[in-house]
């Protein structure tokens, strides 16, 4: 196969390339820099799929950069897809986000097939707009797959996992809570992406771990990987529940935010190449991708 990854230096794109080549060294991987106009002269002819992992994320939204989200996350994706389609590429795979649901400000959120998108910020709005633009290009010869992963974690992964990691490595205590979050480890996401490409899957797709994650338990497990012990302190649940939906950081850590597992059955669990325990161990002690 020949796969084009659009987004040089992307965490997900880099690990996907490593994952694919570890499974089949004969696969050809081309990587395009999203910060240049290289795609305008690149010859997509003969490529089986384009994996679009470029985008603006983990950046504080301001009035000045709000329009840039739409330009990069939506308009650029549509332009690259249109060129790839015109040159005969059969599949376009776009990394969207759970943020299209705009659920970080709520509590006890369980997303199902019937949950409508309702993005609340420029990032989520640009991702949803990109999905719509890409699906408008789809036809019998051009398959479009848009993935809406929850929080991605793995060794070296930027984002919220690093905040939990810092707590695990510095604090002897953490509030005990029974909330659940959908998350996906980089190995599981790469295995899911590999199946998307190999089986030319299309439509909306929802990769996630087979198990929901309890952040307090995750902090405890991270600490244990480094020989540390974090005591989970009970009795704070009423206070935490009162703050969920009102204080952003509390909502992100202690609110429920999950995909119904039925959303994620596209491949019958074949992407679940790691147990939850293994994902934490590999994140803290081993490589984040590979066989």
């Amino acid at each position: 196969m020949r796969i084009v990854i659009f987004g040089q230096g992307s965490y997900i794109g880099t690990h996907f390339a490593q994952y694919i080549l570890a499974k089949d060294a004969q696969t050809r991987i081309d990587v395009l820099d999203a910060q240049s106009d290289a795609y305008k002269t690149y010859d997509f002819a003969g490529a089986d799929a384009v994996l679009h992992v470029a985008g603006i994320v983990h950046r504080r939204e301001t009035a000045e950069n709000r329009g840039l989200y739409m330009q990069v996350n939506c308009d650029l994706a549509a332009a690259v897809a249109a060129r790839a389609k015109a040159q005969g590429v059969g599949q376009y795979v776009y990394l969207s986000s759970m943020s299209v649901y705009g659920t970080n400000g709520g509590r006890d959120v369980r997303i199902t097939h019937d949950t409508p998108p309702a993005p609340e910020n420029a990032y989520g709005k640009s991702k949803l707009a990109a999905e719509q633009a890409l699906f408008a290009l789809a036809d019998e010869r051009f398959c479009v797959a848009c993935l809406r992963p929850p929080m991605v974690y793995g060794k070296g992964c930027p984002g919220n996992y690093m905040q939990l990691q810092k707590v695990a490595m510095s604090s002897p205590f953490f509030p005990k809570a029974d909330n659940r979050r959908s998350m996906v480890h980089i190995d599981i996401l790469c295995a899911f992406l590999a199946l998307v490409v190999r089986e030319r899957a299309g439509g909306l797709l929802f990769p996630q771990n087979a198990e929901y994650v309890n952040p307090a338990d995750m902090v405890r497990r991270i600490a244990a990987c480094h020989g540390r012990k974090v005591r989970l302190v009970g009795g704070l649940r009423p206070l935490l529940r009162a703050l969920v939906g009102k204080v952003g950081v509390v909502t992100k850590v202690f609110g429920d935010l999950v995909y119904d597992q039925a959303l994620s059955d596209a491949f019958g669990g074949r992407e679940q190449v790691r147990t939850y325990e293994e994902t934490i161990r590999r994140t803290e002690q081993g490589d984040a991708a590979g066989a």
Side-chain angles (χ1 to χ4, degrees), residues 24-43:
D24 181 8
Q26 300 303 311
T27 299
R28 174 180 166 182
I29 302 287
D30 292 348
V31 182
L32 295 183
D33 183 1
Q35 298 186 44
S36 72
D37 290 334
Y39 77 93
K40 293 181 178 179
T41 56
Y42 176 79
D43 185 6

Side-chain angles (χ1 to χ4, degrees), residues 133-157:
L134 293 172
F135 283 133
L137 293 171
D139 58 30
E140 64 277 3
R141 287 192 293 264
F142 189 65
C143 174
V144 172
C146 291
L147 280 65
R148 293 176 176 173
M151 187 185 97
V152 180
Y153 67 100
K155 191 172 183 66
C157 184

Side-chain angles (χ1 to χ4, degrees), residues 11-12 58 95 149-154 157-162 182-187 189:
Y11 180 82
I12 293 173
H58 303 308
L95 261 292
M151 187 185 97
V152 180
Y153 67 100
C157 184
N160 292 330
Y161 181 88
M162 293 181 68
S182 283
M183 299 186 190
V184 62
H185 185 260
I186 186 63
D187 287 1
L189 179 57

Side-chain angles (χ1 to χ4, degrees), residues 16-244:
F16 176 72
Q18 294 173 358
Y19 184 90
I20 286 290
L21 293 175
K23 299 295 183 183
D24 181 8
Q26 300 303 311
T27 299
R28 174 180 166 182
I29 302 287
D30 292 348
V31 182
L32 295 183
D33 183 1
Q35 298 186 44
S36 72
D37 290 334
Y39 77 93
K40 293 181 178 179
T41 56
Y42 176 79
D43 185 6
F44 286 94
D48 296 285
V50 175
L51 171 60
H52 189 116
V53 291
I56 297 179
V57 65
H58 303 308
R59 182 183 299 186
R60 183 173 176 271
E61 179 184 330
T62 65
E64 290 73 24
N65 68 19
R66 197 164 291 136
L68 193 60
Y69 279 92
M70 195 64 69
Q71 292 173 26
V72 175
N73 293 348
C74 177
D75 299 344
L76 181 60
V80 176
R83 179 170 172 80
K85 177 181 178 179
Q87 293 193 318
V89 176
Q91 184 184 40
Y92 204 86
V93 182
Y94 180 75
L95 261 292
S96 186
S97 170
M98 197 182 207
S99 293
V100 301
Y101 293 102
T103 53
N104 281 336
R107 64 168 71 194
D108 300 335
V109 178
R110 184 182 186 87
I111 297 168
T112 71
H113 283 288
D114 299 322
T115 304
E120 298 168 348
N121 55 29
Y123 175 69
K125 291 174 182 176
S126 65
K127 286 292 187 178
L128 182 60
E131 293 179 4
Q132 294 167 345
L134 293 172
F135 283 133
L137 293 171
D139 58 30
E140 64 277 3
R141 287 192 293 264
F142 189 65
C143 174
V144 172
C146 291
L147 280 65
R148 293 176 176 173
M151 187 185 97
V152 180
Y153 67 100
K155 191 172 183 66
C157 184
N160 292 330
Y161 181 88
M162 293 181 68
Q163 302 305 314
L164 294 176
Q165 188 182 57
K166 288 178 182 178
V167 172
M169 297 303 293
S170 61
S171 175
F173 306 105
F174 193 81
K176 184 178 182 181
D178 58 1
N179 64 306
R180 302 178 303 167
R181 310 285 291 193
S182 283
M183 299 186 190
V184 62
H185 185 260
I186 186 63
D187 287 1
I188 294 172
L189 179 57
C190 286
F192 192 96
L193 283 167
L195 288 165
V196 170
V197 173
R198 288 169 182 161
E199 301 188 10
R200 204 169 178 264
L204 289 173
L205 297 166
F206 304 84
Q208 66 174 323
N209 290 356
E211 304 172 54
Y212 296 134
V213 175
N214 173 257
D217 177 71
M218 177 174 267
V219 167
R220 181 184 62 80
R221 288 175 183 265
I222 291 171
C225 284
H226 299 276
R228 298 190 74 254
K229 186 173 182 179
V230 173
R231 179 185 173 191
L232 301 183
V233 181
L236 299 176
R237 189 172 185 274
L239 174 62
L240 294 173
R241 298 299 291 172
L243 294 176
V244 167

